[in-house]
Amino acid sequence: PYNMTAQDLFEKNGLLTVKQAALRLGVSKSMIYTLHARGELKIYRIFAKKGMVKESDLQSMIERRLEVA
């Protein structure tokens, strides 16, 4: 555990960078920040570093936006 990188720790705990979240959704990083500003997606700051998004929050947002056909 002591030789884990920060990225390993984030991945293990289900955290994505804003860039990774944007890639998963096929949108820009600015759209992720827009979703955050609208209250649709939380962005967490880890030790005042870059913003991180929980994979579970991303999945919940996707499920809320799905329309029943």
Side-chain angles (χ1 to χ4, degrees):
Y2 293 109
N3 60 353
M4 289 180 74
T5 66
Q7 188 63 38
D8 292 336
L9 185 61
F10 295 152
E11 288 176 9
K12 181 180 177 188
N13 289 289
L15 294 170
L16 302 168
T17 64
V18 170
K19 182 178 180 179
Q20 289 171 322
L23 287 170
R24 292 241 178 133
L25 292 180
V27 299
S28 65
K29 291 191 315 184
S30 64
M31 184 58 181
I32 297 298
Y33 288 111
T34 297
L35 291 167
H36 172 68
R38 290 181 189 163
E40 295 184 53
L41 186 63
K42 292 181 183 176
I43 294 178
Y44 301 88
R45 295 257 175 222
I46 310 294
F47 304 113
K49 300 275 183 186
K50 24 179 168 171
M52 305 296 289
V53 176
K54 286 183 181 179
E55 286 183 281
S56 59
D57 289 349
L58 192 64
Q59 185 61 39
S60 293
M61 188 207 66
I62 291 167
E63 290 171 5
R64 285 192 308 272
R65 289 177 150 249
L66 287 176
E67 293 181 5
V68 178

